């Protein structure tokens, strides 16, 4: 089971990739995801940054 994005896709993501994924998750910064702790664009971006090693 992969524990980082690089283990999942086989390479580190660029900042452009992380911005793209964050925008896709939040519908271009218009929605939050999750119910218990809603995550906005900045939260999603930070999680992707931390997982990208």
């Amino acid at each position: 089971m992969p524990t980082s994005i690089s283990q999942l896709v086989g390479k580190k993501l660029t900042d452009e990739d992380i911005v793209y994924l964050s925008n896709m998750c939040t519908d271009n910064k218009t929605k939050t995801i999750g119910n218990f702790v809603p995550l906005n664009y900045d939260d999603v971006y930070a999680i992707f940054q931390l997982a990208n090693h």
Side-chain angles (χ1 to χ4, degrees):
M1 179 129 193
T3 58
S4 68
I5 292 174
S6 60
Q7 289 177 345
L8 181 65
V9 298
K11 67 175 183 127
K12 284 185 74 171
L13 298 179
T14 64
D15 192 53
E16 290 175 358
D17 294 333
I18 294 173
V19 167
Y20 174 77
L21 289 172
S22 300
N23 278 323
M24 293 298 290
C25 286
T26 60
D27 201 17
N28 291 316
K29 301 180 184 181
T30 61
K31 296 181 182 176
T32 59
I33 59 172
N35 292 316
F36 185 69
V37 177
L39 303 173
N40 62 22
Y41 172 86
D42 294 329
D43 300 328
V44 173
Y45 182 85
I47 291 168
F48 281 135
Q49 284 284 50
L50 291 171
N52 190 33
H53 57 82

